[in-house]
Amino acid sequence: MQTLASREDARPIAIPQAEPQPDAAFLRLRGLTKRYESGFIAVDNLDLDLPKGKLLGLLGPSGCGKTTTLRMIAGLASVTDGEILIGGDDVARRAPHKRDIGLVFQSYALFPHMTVAENIAFGLDMRGVSRQEARARVEEALEMVRLPGYGSRKPKEMSGGQQQRVALARALVIRPRILLLDEPLSNLDAKLRDDMRIEIREIQKRLSITTVFVTHDQVEALTMCDVVGVMAGGRLAQLGTPSEIYEKPASLFVAEFVGRANVIDCEIVGRDQARIGDQVYRSDTKGLSGGKAKAAIRPHRISLTPDRDRALVSNATNSARGRIARITYIGDIVQYEVEINGAMLKVEVPTASAGHGFGADDMLLCEWKPQDMLVFGS
Amino acid sequence: MIGKISVPFRIVVIFLYLFLLAPILVVLPLSFSNDSYLTFPPESWGVRWYVAMFQHAGLINAFWLSLGIASVVTALSLAVGIPAAYAIGRHEFRGKEFALSLFTAPLLLPSIVLGLAILLVFVQARLLGTVTGLIIAHLIVTTPYVVRIVITSLSTLPPSVEEAATMLGASPLTVFRRITLPLMAPGIVASAALSFLLSFDEVVISLFITGPRLTTLPVEIFNYVESQTDPMTAAISVVLVTATLVIIMLIERTLGLSRTIGK
């Protein structure tokens, strides 16, 4: 704090950025690559555009390169090749402390020897903001994260959720050009995580700050983000809105990673025709008209009908006769494992509508719509 | 804090402490003996040997020399040890394991071996019986402790805390000054105190290097005890034990010993 200048600071209070055209990408990654000395490629020639004010979620299993991508944007990991453009300037080779990026760590990373107010004021101090203005901005930031009056506490005197909010306030008070969130919710318990998810999203929208959010949790990615990038093996497996990712997965990997899916070996026997065992189903073969393939059907997109009601089955849907092998009660839903044509299908039915009285070994009909059967060539 | 301790365990602990502290507890009454030779219990009481001690030119000179050397050694071992520990604890480089072994090997060697090795080198380098030689020899003993303790205190400090400061706009130097150094302070104070005490107490290696014109306090006491058996040694011991206790209590009061030495 001692280096805070007492002079009046000329910086305006409002976010001092010129608004680019609304649809122009504010964050652009061009051929971004990270290759380690061992030859391992963590991030492989990544291209990505994110419009201003949007929240991008990078989703993927551990080791997919999402955290490395975030650390390269932050400048904490060196860039082997490629460009990172923020509002038009390439910052790929700029020192991290000159990038003007806010970063919230999974572990919060608060400074344990400073009070909450000193933690938040640190970045303002580095920018030479006057003590008077800093005090006002710290108070404003604490109010934004709903912790007014907590400034004199030490981080260790606060709960995990409160520390997370302080970390968020500390990253935002400097009015960064971009906000990066590295699995910010994974150290919180389930209830708090739901609340923080909403809170972070609201703050992000209110400030309209371009944000990149790294997570391995698909619920976080789908519920919070404007755009989701699913990563695998250092590449983008798919980039799209949450509903595109969920409804129109570009690959089997995406279909299985985001949400649950039954994956069944099949053979494409014609355009939008897939054969499982000796039966042909209508499906979405994405333009393929032959070859071995795998079909993905989400468990809750399958409905169950008693076998005797076969006459009621609409011709517009696929149906398969099967035998219930196992029933699992999971609270909100009941999961049936149904054997059809030698394949095992998981079917999920809301508990409230599961009152059919199905039992193990009952024969029944599984039905699903052609567009819910996604076939990927192998 | 400490939870409930069972009674038998408590008794064991009390006996252990008695065993460890008994020699010191015997020395205390002995130092107030007015006899001319060591007997327990003393036949007459007084502060005669405390007075004698402060009038003993050899001891007093040796004390000032030891104090000076311990101060210089402490400063130098911090100056060498902190950057070394920071490099080893925070950076990846070729030969890192080797550097760590090199810096900490003297911890494992018996002092007598170390002393002999130093003697052989110092004869060639004409450092025997010099203050420079003593300082170098003591540094070999103290620096490994500084490196070890500072690495330990660094390892409890997650790199993300330093990275957070970087992201907020702090240059590497500012991060070190405002974040790393304050958070390492307990480890630095602990290693400084330990360096000082180690250097001040060092006998074995000093015996190889000191000569008739240059004697540190422990060596002087050692020589004195060899020729004399009077209660003055008890008086010296009491003064040294008290001084050590004061240093340790100061650390405890300002930082907390448990915090300084580790979790």
Side-chain angles (χ1 to χ4, degrees), chain B residues 102-185:
Chain B
L102 191 72
F103 269 109
T104 52
L107 281 176
L108 305 171
L109 287 175
S111 341
I112 195 91
V113 175
L114 212 54
L116 195 64
I118 291 172
L119 178 72
L120 292 173
V121 175
F122 279 15
V123 168
Q124 300 257 306
R126 300 182 166 277
L127 284 167
L128 284 185
T130 63
V131 174
T132 319
L134 268 175
I135 289 173
I136 294 173
H138 284 192
L139 273 176
I140 294 170
V141 178
T142 57
T143 311
Y145 284 94
V146 175
V147 172
R148 268 278 166 222
I149 294 174
V150 175
I151 285 181
T152 308
S153 75
L154 261 180
S155 69
T156 61
L157 169 65
S160 61
V161 173
E162 288 158 303
E163 289 174 353
T166 301
M167 294 314 295
L168 292 168
S171 64
L173 198 67
T174 310
V175 173
F176 188 75
R177 196 172 53 80
R178 295 277 307 266
I179 308 295
T180 319
L181 210 54
L183 291 174
M184 285 196 314

Side-chain angles (χ1 to χ4, degrees), chain A residues 8 11 36 60 63 99 118 121 123-124 128 141 153 159 176 189 211 226 276 284 292 316 335 353 369 377:
Chain A
E8 274 300 306
R11 247 179 209 231
Y36 287 100
R99 288 194 189 185
E118 284 165 349
L124 299 175
R153 300 256 187 127
S159 70
D189 59 52
T211 302
D226 296 302
I276 299 173
D284 178 2
K292 291 230 174 290
Q335 187 186 72
S353 59
K369 294 187 178 117

Side-chain angles (χ1 to χ4, degrees), chain B:
Chain B
M1 286 304 286
I2 300 159
K4 280 178 189 159
I5 298 173
S6 66
V7 176
F9 184 66
R10 202 182 286 254
I11 292 168
V12 170
V13 169
I14 289 171
F15 270 99
L16 269 175
Y17 268 105
L18 276 179
F19 177 75
L20 290 171
L21 297 176
I24 296 170
L25 295 178
V26 173
V27 162
L28 188 62
L30 213 52
S31 71
F32 290 101
S33 160
N34 260 12
D35 302 346
S36 310
Y37 43 85
L38 278 172
T39 44
F40 192 80
E43 285 168 14
S44 55
W45 300 88
V47 292
R48 171 184 161 191
W49 291 110
Y50 281 95
V51 175
M53 176 179 72
F54 285 111
Q55 285 167 350
H56 190 292
L59 276 176
I60 296 304
N61 288 341
F63 168 80
W64 287 116
L65 179 68
S66 279
L67 194 70
I69 286 178
S71 309
V72 174
V73 164
T74 303
L76 287 178
S77 51
L78 290 181
V80 175
I82 294 172
Y86 187 75
I88 293 169
R90 275 290 182 268
H91 295 284
E92 287 302 325
F93 55 90
R94 241 177 260 277
K96 174 171 157 164
E97 289 304 313
F98 177 73
L100 182 62
S101 311
L102 191 72
F103 269 109
T104 52
L107 281 176
L108 305 171
L109 287 175
S111 341
I112 195 91
V113 175
L114 212 54
L116 195 64
I118 291 172
L119 178 72
L120 292 173
V121 175
F122 279 15
V123 168
Q124 300 257 306
R126 300 182 166 277
L127 284 167
L128 284 185
T130 63
V131 174
T132 319
L134 268 175
I135 289 173
I136 294 173
H138 284 192
L139 273 176
I140 294 170
V141 178
T142 57
T143 311
Y145 284 94
V146 175
V147 172
R148 268 278 166 222
I149 294 174
V150 175
I151 285 181
T152 308
S153 75
L154 261 180
S155 69
T156 61
L157 169 65
S160 61
V161 173
E162 288 158 303
E163 289 174 353
T166 301
M167 294 314 295
L168 292 168
S171 64
L173 198 67
T174 310
V175 173
F176 188 75
R177 196 172 53 80
R178 295 277 307 266
I179 308 295
T180 319
L181 210 54
L183 291 174
M184 285 196 314
I188 292 172
V189 171
S191 53
L194 198 61
S195 294
F196 187 88
L197 293 176
L198 277 171
S199 164
F200 197 76
D201 277 355
E202 202 335 286
V203 192
V204 180
I205 294 171
S206 302
L207 272 174
F208 283 96
I209 299 164
T210 51
R213 275 167 300 147
L214 186 82
T215 323
T216 61
L217 186 59
V219 173
E220 183 69 26
I221 297 171
F222 187 83
N223 292 338
Y224 186 84
V225 175
E226 267 194 332
S227 54
Q228 239 75 36
T229 46
D230 57 43
M232 190 164 92
T233 47
I236 299 167
S237 304
V238 170
V239 170
L240 288 183
V241 167
T242 313
T244 309
L245 274 179
V246 167
I247 293 179
I248 293 186
M249 273 165 67
L250 276 178
I251 298 173
E252 170 65 30
R253 274 295 157 87
T254 49
L255 291 159
L257 253 197
S258 51
R259 251 188 79 199
T260 18
I261 289 173
K263 279 193 189 172

Side-chain angles (χ1 to χ4, degrees), chain A residues 1 3 71 74 76 96-97 101 103 105 107 109-114 122-123 125-127 170 174, chain B residues 94 157-158 160-172 174-175 177-180 182-183:
Chain A
M1 294 296 286
T3 55
R71 290 178 65 83
L76 296 172
H97 64 280
I101 288 175
L103 175 54
F105 290 84
S107 58
L110 298 177
F111 309 132
H113 58 305
M114 298 184 189
F122 187 86
D125 188 359
M126 293 300 122
R127 281 161 178 71
R170 184 179 66 177
I174 61 170
Chain B
R94 241 177 260 277
L157 169 65
S160 61
V161 173
E162 288 158 303
E163 289 174 353
T166 301
M167 294 314 295
L168 292 168
S171 64
T174 310
V175 173
R177 196 172 53 80
R178 295 277 307 266
I179 308 295
T180 319
L183 291 174

